[in-house]
Amino acid sequence: MATVVDVRRAVDAAWAARPEHDVSWPDPHPDRDPLTEEYSRVTDPERYAVVGARAQSWIDALVALGLADASVVEDGATRLVPRAPDALPLTVVVRALDGVPGGVVDLLVGDPAASVDVQPDCGCDACDSGSADLLEAIDDAFVGVLGGGFVLIESERSRIVATADGWSATGATGGVDAAIAAARRGERRPDRRTLVGGSWWAPVMTR
């Protein structure tokens, strides 16, 4: 079974074959704060086509490595069903940014599917930190959801999303760390929807 190293190599290979691979731009303000007018401006939305292309590179790599089966579902989204028994299905939705197709990717898990990560979270000039950071954020989003240790806990009043590297929470969550630990132990509460996702790939063995 493939490891995360194999997956990343396959993603990079799929990405290198796409025309969007040649699109890049630097951080527009590496040493200053964004200007006020940049918060309401998207100077070049066409370049954000790299988002959808990078997401497609992930889809292609996961299928090529035999880690998932893909199908097209409602509104052209791609549903990936993992081969690993404890992993959660993933739906990849690619949407337009400022009217340009392919500028936003939304990752949804489970059935019914729940959105757990959107990249970019904002496409305005003020939030732009360059293409390298954007592609890294997309990769981190996929690894966070697919790499094991993923938890989603949601109710009418709260929402917790956790990966192996950390968590985010909104609403009246109470003890977040305790809730995540309980979910990973298999404990469930009737007033909450809880999803726990195993890894899509094999662990990297170290000596």
Side-chain angles (χ1 to χ4, degrees):
M1 187 177 182
T3 68
V4 66
V5 176
D6 300 319
V7 174
R8 284 188 173 275
R9 286 174 179 165
V11 171
D12 287 342
W15 172 247
R18 300 189 65 88
E20 294 87 355
H21 173 262
D22 295 326
V23 178
S24 65
W25 65 95
D27 184 341
H29 30 68
D31 51 6
R32 65 170 176 84
D33 292 333
L35 303 175
T36 301
E37 58 267 27
E38 290 180 303
Y39 285 95
S40 58
R41 187 178 70 201
V42 182
T43 299
D44 186 6
E46 286 80 9
R47 65 187 177 185
Y48 281 92
V50 299
V51 173
R54 189 67 175 188
Q56 187 62 50
S57 297
W58 270 91
I59 294 169
D60 293 345
L62 293 167
V63 172
L65 290 172
L67 298 175
D69 297 308
S71 61
V72 178
V73 293
E74 186 177 358
D75 296 328
T78 300
R79 179 175 170 81
L80 294 167
V81 178
R83 301 282 181 85
D86 296 326
L88 295 170
L90 176 73
T91 302
V92 182
V93 179
V94 177
R95 299 184 276 108
L97 173 68
D98 206 35
V100 177
V104 178
V105 61
D106 190 357
L107 302 184
L108 303 91
V109 299
D111 188 12
S115 176
V116 294
D117 206 312
V118 178
Q119 296 296 333
D121 54 2
C122 179
C124 75
D125 290 356
C127 296
D128 181 12
S129 57
S131 58
D133 275 0
L134 178 59
L135 296 179
E136 183 178 0
I138 296 167
D139 291 349
D140 288 347
F142 274 94
V143 172
V145 174
L146 308 183
F150 175 83
V151 176
L152 170 65
I153 305 170
E154 57 183 356
S155 69
E156 293 183 355
R157 300 193 305 154
S158 64
R159 195 170 201 263
I160 300 170
V161 177
T163 69
D165 296 325
W167 54 261
S168 62
T170 57
T173 55
V176 174
D177 289 327
I180 295 169
R184 287 174 175 159
R185 289 194 301 267
E187 299 175 18
R188 300 291 184 267
R189 285 177 41 172
D191 61 332
R192 293 178 173 181
R193 182 191 187 198
T194 301
L195 299 176
V196 178
S199 178
W200 285 43
W201 44 75
V204 176
M205 303 303 294
T206 58
R207 299 181 63 183

